[in-house]
Amino acid sequence: MQAQAWNELVSRRSQAGYHEKGLWKGKTTVDYARERLAESPDRVAVVDGAHRKTYAQLMHEAQRVAAGLRNLGLQKGDVISFQLPNWWESVVVNLAAVLGGWVVNPIVPIYRDAEVSYILDDCKAKVLFIPDRFRSIDYLEMAQRLRRDSRPDLQVVTVRASESLPEGVVAFETLGVGSAPWNGSSYGADDLKLILYTSGTTGRPKGVLHSSNTLIAELQAITDFWRIGPDDVMFMPSPVTHITGYCYALEYGFFRGLKVVLMDRWDARQAIDIIAKEGVTLSVGATPFLTELTEIVLQTGARIPQFRLFASGGAPVPPELVYRASRAMPRCVVCRVYGSSEAPTVTLGVNSVAELESAASTDGRIWNSEVKVLDPVTGDPLPCGESGEIAVKGPEVMLGYLHPEDNLDAFDAEGYFLSGDLGQVSEDGFITITGRKKDIIIRGGENLSPREVEDMLHEHPAVLEAAVVAMPHQRLGETPCAYVVLRPGHSLTFDEMLEHLNARKLARQKLPERLEVIEEMPKNASGKILKHVLRSWAEKLVAGAQAS
């Protein structure tokens, strides 16, 4: 982005005094990596399947890759994109970027030509790191199409190549080999470090901008709240190209000096084995990870007594899931957390198994952030206990979006980020999210939040996942429609659903007027249910019924 626009963003955030208060540390990941290198160079820092990499090995590889990128002609401030699985090479690429003063742009692995092309063009990436193939996607073939059709200047580096490479594509393993040692460019903690794109489920994806200062403020917050030490072990199955995986897999190991264990293909049974074998104590992940891990523990009776924390967020976490997981893993703090790419951890759940009720019924205690609740129509502040739009300000909130016009409606006059999430704050500082502004169902002029109905549906023994969306209605405008995924061997009828909800005294206007049982929820890479897809399905159901 233009230097002037970036300077304005940094200046605006610096006015909050985060430097003076010590909330912005003024250090980068490389600074922390060098500390680890001095303290314990041969300590295992990253585990990736059979690969075990020490701090010394990671730094050596990062210096090699940084030298290779310099040889490709990259200048300080250039953007390098990577669309990689949870592999140790992702850790190296991220560290090399800080060494060279380049900006990293993670791209989730499931994206294909349309999304990848848009992101590369929007952030003006100079280099793209990819596997040649992963799962069912031929990334090398996709990269060649992109170069041929729109980006002939794009430089491609492929990781773990299994065959000879076409002209112009560089193998990660040979990048920088034979180059003179290079310690990188001068790079500051206020410099642009990360461009991470939103999922774009309701419009054009937006580039979220972070510096080392904002990201490390988030890492310091989780360290303090959950009392994390260097003997803890972090398990990370969440994609490293998502804000959760990026922070806790690529950054946190250097910051706290702990071992990070990566998993590139989620499998709950394998996850249990990995947790036991590697002595994993912590994990942060989306709802599907917690759901499936809990089911396997209950089915197998697996014992993982050292596992002490699972914080779940990124998508709604039903209270019943927290209770169920806590019964399955009684020594583990299971909690809901709330954040986003723009504001990574607004809340941090709880830090004690004694707080189970708050862990299940709320989205966690506010930590390291200032929060206010605004009337979604007028923008006026609301008192504790009333539901409105969550607005947040703090040292880990993004510096802004890549395009200045996207910032116009993203912040209020006091610099609070307007999240678009609806929720309420209790007197003791816990947030409970009730929905999204755009998810509101307007039934006959009355606003209904789907979250309450979804939580009740999750209490039904047959329901594994539930989502409620707006369905067109000729007289009322919109009414609720429920989509559910059932547990194996179970069934659920419309009348059984109504009986279940009526038993919980749900207001009649909130009752879904249709039930659709589906095999799988449409989701994005972070596990968030794509409600716009469900709404389109509901619209087609109504249109089909009217046509017949």
Side-chain angles (χ1 to χ4, degrees), residues 248-544:
Y248 300 151
L250 305 190
E251 297 274 293
Y252 195 51
F254 296 113
F255 175 81
R256 196 65 187 103
L258 50 69
K259 181 173 72 175
V260 175
V261 181
L262 302 175
M263 189 180 199
D264 64 357
R265 295 175 186 253
W266 171 249
D267 180 288
R269 290 184 183 275
Q270 290 181 12
I272 292 292
D273 293 339
I274 291 171
I275 290 170
K277 176 184 176 183
E278 298 293 342
V280 169
T281 60
L282 315 161
S283 191
V284 183
T287 313
F289 297 127
L290 179 58
T291 301
E292 295 175 21
L293 191 70
T294 299
E295 294 303 314
I296 293 299
V297 171
L298 290 172
Q299 289 173 21
T300 65
R303 296 180 60 80
I304 43 176
Q306 84 288 347
F307 192 49
R308 70 178 185 89
L309 173 71
F310 195 113
S312 189
V317 183
E320 178 56 30
L321 174 57
V322 176
Y323 287 122
R324 186 175 177 84
S326 297
R327 290 193 296 270
M329 300 175 285
R331 296 185 182 181
C332 183
V333 175
V334 180
C335 58
R336 294 155 54 175
V337 294
Y338 167 62
S340 63
S341 298
E342 293 91 341
T345 49
V346 181
T347 70
L348 284 174
V350 301
N351 52 21
S352 167
V353 293
E355 299 177 278
L356 178 57
E357 180 62 31
S358 295
S361 63
T362 78
D363 289 281
R365 183 182 286 112
I366 297 168
W367 191 262
N368 205 40
S369 299
E370 299 174 59
V371 174
K372 60 183 179 180
V373 180
L374 306 176
D375 185 294
V377 177
T378 66
D380 295 330
L382 296 173
C384 284
E386 290 197 25
S387 184
E389 182 175 10
I390 300 294
V392 59
K393 181 166 66 172
E396 63 191 60
V397 174
M398 68 168 181
L399 293 155
Y401 291 116
L402 178 62
H403 295 294
E405 62 269 23
D406 290 331
N407 294 312
L408 298 177
D409 297 324
F411 298 89
D412 72 3
E414 295 179 317
Y416 282 77
F417 169 64
L418 304 175
S419 68
D421 294 308
L422 299 175
Q424 56 195 34
V425 177
S426 65
E427 292 283 356
D428 53 353
F430 283 83
I431 289 180
T432 302
I433 300 299
T434 57
R436 288 281 297 170
K437 285 175 68 175
K438 293 178 180 177
D439 286 344
I440 288 294
I441 301 169
I442 306 175
R443 181 187 184 277
E446 183 178 4
N447 292 347
L448 308 179
S449 175
R451 182 71 179 270
E452 180 185 9
V453 187
E454 291 166 352
D455 286 347
M456 289 184 180
L457 287 172
H458 279 108
E459 294 174 3
H460 194 286
V463 174
L464 180 64
E465 293 182 286
V468 176
V469 297
M471 177 176 64
H473 189 279
Q474 190 170 8
R475 183 173 64 86
L476 297 172
E478 295 177 341
T479 56
C481 174
Y483 284 87
V484 298
V485 176
L486 300 180
R487 298 183 185 279
H490 288 75
S491 63
L492 183 68
T493 67
F494 179 77
D495 288 340
E496 289 170 341
M497 176 192 70
L498 293 183
E499 181 181 359
H500 171 77
L501 295 175
N502 282 323
R504 282 150 180 77
K505 309 301 182 185
L506 186 69
R508 295 187 62 82
Q509 64 267 33
K510 298 179 182 178
L511 293 172
E513 298 199 7
R514 188 178 187 116
L515 171 67
E516 290 294 317
V517 177
I518 57 178
E519 293 293 322
E520 184 180 10
M521 290 286 180
K523 297 175 182 175
N524 66 10
S526 62
K528 189 175 296 183
I529 294 174
L530 300 176
K531 287 198 168 182
H532 71 286
V533 174
L534 296 180
R535 284 193 291 269
S536 70
W537 292 355
E539 290 171 2
K540 291 176 182 177
L541 288 171
V542 172

